[in-house]
Amino acid sequence: MEAAPDTLSGLMRAFHFLSRPKPAPKPKYTYENSYTALHARRRLTREESAAVDSLTDQLRALDPKSDGERIKEILSEIGKLPVKFVPLKRETRIDNSKRYPYASAKRGG
């Protein structure tokens, strides 16, 4: 009769251990906005591709501080074409490495 309560309490402990929430994994990367790219919604024809290339070349040549109106016009023209703006992010690895805790001057640490 003694074995039943011990087995039951052991099972209860085991299920309690399994049911506790797991710690969230540490993030390995940080992401920051880098720039915006143009992606085609479908396969572009030669004329559409040439139009997109010429408009993006014009955008690269303009200064955002002084040519704001012209940039808005070019962006509205690009919006009429079958392309979409895709934000791209820069991925930087988080360094979680630690120094060896037993470093000494004798061993070069």
Side-chain angles (χ1 to χ4, degrees), residues 13-95:
R13 287 182 189 160
F15 280 116
H16 175 70
F17 178 75
L18 291 174
S19 67
R20 70 179 184 188
K22 294 177 177 57
K26 289 184 179 178
K28 293 184 179 180
Y29 299 96
T30 58
Y31 299 96
E32 54 192 37
N33 291 334
S34 181
Y35 59 94
T36 303
L38 278 176
H39 287 198
R41 289 189 179 135
R42 60 172 171 78
R43 186 177 172 94
L44 300 178
T45 62
R46 288 182 186 157
E47 295 81 19
E48 291 170 340
S49 179
V52 169
D53 290 342
S54 68
L55 289 172
T56 53
D57 290 340
Q58 290 175 19
L59 272 178
R60 285 190 192 107
L62 296 176
D63 181 27
K65 294 177 182 172
S66 60
D67 301 324
E69 291 300 320
R70 180 68 184 132
I71 290 174
K72 288 180 184 176
E73 292 173 10
I74 293 174
L75 288 177
S76 66
E77 292 174 23
I78 290 176
K80 295 174 187 172
L81 296 170
V83 293
K84 59 184 174 182
F85 294 95
V86 179
L88 298 179
K89 297 187 179 223
R90 180 178 298 132
E91 180 180 82
T92 309
R93 187 165 179 83
I94 298 173
D95 185 22

Side-chain angles (χ1 to χ4, degrees), residues 2-14:
E2 291 288 327
D6 291 338
T7 305
L8 182 61
S9 64
L11 283 173
M12 294 291 283
R13 287 182 189 160

